[in-house]
Amino acid sequence: FNMAGRPHKFASPEEMQEKIDAYFESVKEPKQFGDNFYFEPVTITGLALALDTTRETLCDYQEKDEFSDTIKRAKLRVENYAEKQLYMGKAAAGPIFALKNFGWSDKQETEL
């Protein structure tokens, strides 16, 4: 139990990692919409939903020493997906927006 008296959502980083891995495996499978097939994009929100939690809770877990690296690696996988989209697709606005949320910038800064 944590200090607030509520049990942690995940008993261990390993349990969380299993669910994270399941999310990344699930997005590899094509989904069908009508007669068309598509691949679901990899997102932080999608990850949170797969973990049955919220983005805020993910951030809270990232602050816990035992879960920090697990969450950071998962976020890095999402960031890697967005970066790859810049090279693969014609519509770059979505990946650019996602990368800006990871702290990327599209402006050049010069220090004098």
Side-chain angles (χ1 to χ4, degrees):
F1 285 96
N2 62 22
M3 291 177 61
R6 284 188 345 197
H8 289 298
K9 187 158 193 69
F10 302 99
S12 68
E14 294 78 17
E15 177 191 340
M16 178 184 273
Q17 187 64 56
E18 285 178 21
K19 293 183 180 193
I20 289 169
D21 290 342
Y23 167 68
F24 285 106
E25 282 301 313
S26 75
V27 296
K28 290 181 181 178
E29 297 297 320
K31 310 287 189 283
Q32 187 169 4
F33 184 75
D35 292 335
N36 299 313
F37 288 88
Y38 68 96
F39 288 93
E40 186 177 325
V42 176
T43 65
I44 294 292
T45 305
L47 175 63
L49 288 169
L51 295 175
D52 191 30
T53 192
T54 65
R55 294 181 76 220
E56 292 79 14
T57 300
L58 283 180
C59 291
D60 290 345
Y61 268 90
Q62 186 173 326
E63 298 302 315
K64 299 176 190 297
D65 286 343
E66 68 271 28
F67 291 95
S68 181
D69 286 343
T70 304
I71 296 295
K72 286 178 181 176
R73 274 193 312 275
K75 285 182 166 184
L76 194 60
R77 290 171 76 176
V78 175
E79 183 177 356
N80 181 51
Y81 171 85
E83 184 179 359
K84 286 180 178 180
Q85 295 306 301
L86 293 175
Y87 297 99
M88 296 171 55
K90 294 182 181 188
I96 288 171
F97 177 77
L99 290 168
K100 284 182 178 183
N101 283 325
F102 281 107
W104 288 45
S105 174
D106 60 357
K107 61 183 175 233
Q108 187 174 13
E109 297 178 14
T110 305
E111 278 190 41
L112 300 175

